[in-house]
Every structure is written in structure tokens, then in C-alpha cells.
Amino acid sequence: MEQDANNPELWNNPDNARAILQKKSALEKSLNEFLALESEYNNLRELYEIAPDDSDVISGIELLANETHSAKFITLFSEPADKDGAFLFIQAGAGGTEAQDWAQMLSRMYVRWAERHGFTTEIIEEHPGDVAGIKSITYRISGLRAYGWLKNEVGVHRLVRISPFNANGKRQTSFASVDVWPDIDDNIEIEINEKDLRIDTFRASGAGGQHVNKTDSAIRITHIPTGIVVTCQNERSQFQNKDMAMKMLRSRLYEMEMQKRAAAADSARAAQKKIEWGSQIRNYVLYPYQLVKDVRTGVEKTDSDAVLDGDLDDFMLAMLQR
């Protein structure tokens, strides 16, 4: 039975009150988006009656059609953090250069996907591969509902292809893991005890000029009770790196709490969110045929080039509609 929002006892509980306000804010944003679409439709309808062949009017109609198509799925983003931006972490699996190259391919795929949605991406930390590719990378992806879209990408991604690093041209299987957590609003309170933190500074690696080479500006924060480790090295100063690392830690702790609540409410659903190395969520086959298939939903695409260029919405929507 739904709780009565007019019940004073409900509002006296800070967690309940905060959840209600967050839901109210999300509903208001959705309503405003629909009202904006309605207003644009009315404007374009009037302009079309006056100048049906005008190129700007035609372009406006096409843009509105795309925006309306996307708006149909707003109701699928029902979790508290779905409206937020996201942190995306990609890590190469075992296999050296092959896996590190695959991790970089995944990195490019998600950046292109973000561009399609008008999201902005920022590299928080990157560890280059020994020969090619990357060992790991963390992105901050900013935009409305970025986390809602990305949250089901968590898991192991498997690639099958002819190896570009093998002189014999043998088929190679590579793995990389993806993790996602919400870039939560600053008004969401996550209590962190300073005594529970171990903060280390170190010299940033990779490109960055004199600043990177001469200063120990990179920050690593370990949350001792949970074992969560976050690092940031791409900001300009140690203070900025610490601020971003703390933000990431708050987001990780928030996501951990949400998973605990999900486990208590629905153990089957919680099992779906577990990451088991080797139990891939999606296969990307480039040889001997081309096919990208999501193991969980059965959604398939034969245009693997398009998928690796960011065409991921069908996979994500299938998971949201389960």
C-alpha cells in the first residue's frame, strides 16, 4: 500500500521526506519536458500551415520527432538516482594487450553513445596499456538520466575477433568489465567518518606536461569499512583531485546502500546486479560473422560497427523494460 504523503509521521522521517522531495523534483522535470514538447509541437504546427516547404520548419519537425521518441521512455527511469549523471569505469580483463585494446574500444563506444545523447564526458582517471589500449579508465558522464541509461551496462563484455596483434591471424577472445554508479546530487547526504578514510597522494601518470611530472597531486582514497577505493589524477590540483575523489566515494557508498535495499526487497533482482567475472552480459562477435547479442535479453544486432560506434539504446531499453 502506498504511503500517504500528507501523513505528518511520514515527513518527520528525514529519509522519507528526502525521498518524497526527490521524487517530486523528478516528476516536475518530466512534466516540464512534456510541456516543452507540447509547446514546440504547437509552434511547428502553426509554422507548417504558413510555410510547409520551409527547410527550418522541416528540420524542426524532424528534431521534434526524435525528441518525442526519446520522451516515450521517460517513465522507465523510476529509481531515485536514474535522473543523475554517472561515473563509468572500464577495466581490461586478463589477456594483456588484447584485453587492453578491447577496453579502449569499449571506452570509445560509450563516449560516442554519450555524444548521441548530448551528454558530456570527462576523464577522471586513466591507466594506459603497456603496448596499446588502456588498463582502466573512469569517466564522469554528465546529463539528465545518464545513470538511468547506463546502470544496466554493469558486467563483463566479451569480444571475439581476429587478433590485430597476432601475426598468425588467430581468433582471439577478450574480456573487459564495466561498472557504473550515479553522480548523485550534492543535496543527498552520505555520512562519511574521516577516521574511516586512508588518503594517499602519488605522482600522476600519463600525459600532462610539467604539472603531472613534478607534483604529487593525484589522490587515492580508501574507505576502510567497505574496502572501496577511488582515485583521481586528472584535475589541476591536489585539492581538486581530492574533491572529485570524495564525490566519487559518496556516489559509490550511495550505490552500495541502494543495492543493499534492493537485496532486502527482492533477492532475485539483486542477483541480476551482481558482477561475476567470466559471466558476460553481452557478446561482441566480429569473426567469423558479425553479431552483437545481449545475453540477458536476447537482443541482437548484426551491424557490429554501428554498435561499437555507440548504437546501444536498443540494448539499454530492453533491460529497462524487463
Side-chain angles (χ1 to χ4, degrees):
M1 181 179 296
E2 292 186 2
Q3 293 174 305
D4 182 4
N6 294 318
N7 185 347
E9 294 183 2
L10 182 64
W11 285 93
N12 287 336
N13 185 317
D15 290 335
N16 289 339
R18 190 179 301 116
I20 291 171
L21 291 173
Q22 289 172 0
K23 188 171 184 178
K24 177 177 179 289
S25 176
L27 289 172
E28 287 177 343
K29 286 183 178 180
S30 297
L31 177 60
N32 289 334
E33 288 181 39
F34 281 116
L35 292 175
L37 289 172
E38 182 183 37
S39 176
E40 182 65 13
Y41 167 77
N42 291 329
N43 290 336
L44 286 169
R45 184 177 61 179
E46 293 176 2
L47 290 171
Y48 184 77
E49 292 174 354
I50 298 171
D53 297 324
D54 185 275
S55 60
D56 290 335
V57 175
I58 295 173
S59 297
I61 292 173
E62 292 175 349
L63 179 60
L64 179 62
N66 291 332
E67 292 175 345
T68 303
H69 176 72
S70 299
K72 290 192 301 183
F73 305 109
I74 287 177
T75 56
L76 299 176
F77 302 99
S78 58
E79 297 297 328
D82 281 355
K83 68 182 186 306
D84 295 329
F87 290 103
L88 174 73
F89 176 70
I90 302 170
Q91 183 172 29
T97 301
E98 290 285 353
Q100 291 164 17
D101 186 58
W102 172 223
Q104 187 168 56
M105 291 169 65
L106 281 176
S107 171
R108 177 186 179 277
M109 180 182 75
Y110 284 114
V111 169
R112 296 302 298 271
W113 171 85
E115 291 171 350
R116 288 170 178 242
H117 282 262
F119 298 151
T120 59
T121 58
E122 173 190 0
I123 296 176
I124 301 301
E125 184 190 29
E126 179 180 7
H127 293 286
D130 297 322
V131 177
I134 54 174
K135 294 179 180 177
S136 67
I137 192 167
T138 303
Y139 284 104
R140 184 185 190 186
I141 301 180
S142 302
L144 183 62
R145 303 187 188 91
Y147 175 72
W149 280 102
L150 286 166
K151 64 183 181 181
N152 291 313
E153 292 297 289
V154 174
V156 176
H157 296 243
R158 173 176 174 260
L159 173 71
V160 179
R161 63 172 175 174
I162 294 294
S163 170
F165 304 101
N166 189 311
N168 296 323
K170 292 184 177 180
R171 187 171 65 177
Q172 181 77 30
T173 299
S174 304
F175 295 91
S177 67
V178 172
D179 199 3
V180 180
W181 58 93
D183 184 4
I184 59 175
D185 294 336
D186 291 335
N187 61 357
I188 296 178
E189 297 180 7
I190 302 295
E191 184 177 349
I192 300 177
N193 191 330
E194 290 287 338
K195 295 180 180 179
D196 292 336
L197 303 180
R198 184 174 71 245
I199 301 177
D200 302 308
T201 60
F202 59 97
R203 190 160 300 175
S205 61
Q210 295 181 350
H211 169 77
V212 170
N213 294 331
K214 294 186 177 181
T215 62
D216 290 341
S217 60
I219 292 289
R220 179 187 297 109
I221 299 179
T222 302
H223 187 249
I224 297 172
T226 62
I228 292 175
V229 179
V230 294
T231 59
C232 184
Q233 66 176 23
N234 280 35
E235 302 295 336
R236 295 179 60 85
S237 69
Q238 185 180 110
F239 175 81
Q240 290 173 314
N241 279 324
K242 182 179 179 182
D243 186 61
M244 179 59 69
M246 285 298 295
K247 183 174 183 65
M248 293 169 63
L249 176 59
R250 290 176 63 247
S251 297
R252 293 288 298 274
L253 290 172
Y254 175 85
E255 173 67 2
M256 178 176 287
E257 179 60 27
M258 291 300 101
Q259 290 182 359
K260 286 181 181 179
R261 294 183 186 183
D266 187 345
S267 59
R269 180 182 173 196
Q272 290 179 356
K273 299 184 73 174
K274 289 181 64 178
I275 305 172
E276 299 290 346
W277 193 263
S279 58
Q280 63 271 12
I281 65 168
R282 191 174 301 142
N283 292 314
Y284 305 72
V285 180
L286 307 186
Y287 182 86
Y289 51 85
Q290 292 205 358
L291 178 69
V292 180
K293 181 175 182 177
D294 195 285
V295 176
R296 303 161 298 178
T297 62
V299 172
E300 299 181 355
K301 282 184 173 291
T302 56
D303 190 348
S304 58
D305 289 339
V307 172
L308 293 173
D309 204 34
D311 184 13
L312 297 170
D313 284 3
D314 288 344
F315 298 112
M316 294 178 178
L317 288 170
M319 281 299 297
L320 286 169
Q321 294 178 86
R322 290 186 68 181

